[in-house]
Amino acid sequence: MKITRFAVIFILLLIIFALAGCVQVAPWERGNLAKPHMALDPHPLQSAVQAHNYGSREAAASTNSAGGGGGCGCF
């Protein structure tokens, strides 16, 4: 009986914490959220170049390599 009570309380707390993150953003605050440094990847071009270099140096087929690579660490 105690385990089910603990589980119910835990699930309720989890739901409360999940709902606490749901807020309405005012229109004048949306500009702050749309700034580039608020993105998950603020430098997508730099990340793509680094991923390409890593894939070509490791000689591993990844999502952005055409297959294979030198594997010697050369650029």
Side-chain angles (χ1 to χ4, degrees):
M1 186 72 177
K2 220 171 200 183
I3 293 175
T4 57
R5 180 181 288 176
F6 175 74
V8 169
I9 291 173
F10 179 74
I11 290 173
L12 286 176
L13 285 175
L14 190 65
I15 291 171
I16 289 171
F17 284 132
L19 291 177
C22 300
V23 294
Q24 288 188 350
V25 179
W28 58 86
E29 294 174 333
R30 291 183 183 152
N32 293 333
L33 296 174
K35 292 183 179 177
H37 64 273
M38 293 293 288
L40 291 175
D41 187 9
H43 306 290
L45 184 61
Q46 184 179 7
S47 298
V49 169
Q50 286 178 346
H52 173 73
N53 286 338
Y54 178 77
S56 63
R57 281 183 283 153
E58 292 295 321
S62 64
T63 58
N64 56 358
S65 66
C72 61
C74 305
F75 289 101

